[in-house]
Amino acid sequence: MLPCVSKKITGMDCPGCGIQRSISFLLKGELVDSFLMYPGLLPIATLFTFLVVDFFFTIKHSEKIKLFLTFFTLGTVVVSYIIKMVFLYL
C-alpha cells in the first residue's frame, strides 16, 4: 500500500486514510470489513457510478441527485473522520 504523505508529515490520519485497505477488502468481497475500514467508500462508489451513468444517459432530476450524493458522501467522510479522531485520541 502507498504511504499517506499527510500522516508522515503531521503524524495524524487524513480524511482519506484507510481507503486503500477498504478497496482491498471490497475487492476480496469482504463488504463489512471494507465498511468498517473506511465508511465513505460506498458513498464515493455510488456517486462515481451515478456520474458515469449520467454521462451516458439522460436521467431526470440528475442535478438534484448529484447534489444529494455529493453532500451525503462528504458528510459520511467528515463524520467518520471525526469519529475516528475522537476515539483515536481519547
Side-chain angles (χ1 to χ4, degrees), residues 2-13:
L2 298 172
C4 178
V5 176
S6 176
K7 188 171 184 172
K8 281 189 170 197
I9 294 171
T10 65
M12 293 177 47
D13 286 353

Side-chain angles (χ1 to χ4, degrees), residues 1-68:
M1 300 281 168
L2 298 172
C4 178
V5 176
S6 176
K7 188 171 184 172
K8 281 189 170 197
I9 294 171
T10 65
M12 293 177 47
D13 286 353
C14 71
C17 281
I19 197 166
Q20 290 181 64
R21 288 174 284 166
S22 181
I23 291 170
S24 176
F25 282 132
L26 188 63
L27 293 175
K28 293 177 188 175
E30 299 172 13
L31 188 63
V32 173
D33 290 334
S34 174
F35 177 79
L36 293 175
M37 181 59 61
Y38 192 77
L41 180 63
L42 296 177
I44 289 170
T46 303
L47 174 62
F48 283 131
T49 302
F50 182 79
L51 290 173
V52 169
V53 170
D54 185 52
F55 184 77
F56 291 106
F57 301 100
T58 303
I59 299 174
K60 189 175 182 181
H61 304 293
S62 67
E63 295 303 317
K64 290 181 183 179
I65 295 169
K66 284 189 267 190
L67 189 63
F68 170 77

Side-chain angles (χ1 to χ4, degrees), residues 78-90:
V78 169
V79 168
S80 66
Y81 178 70
I82 291 170
I83 291 170
K84 181 169 64 169
M85 288 294 105
V86 166
F87 284 110
L88 188 65
Y89 293 107
L90 277 181

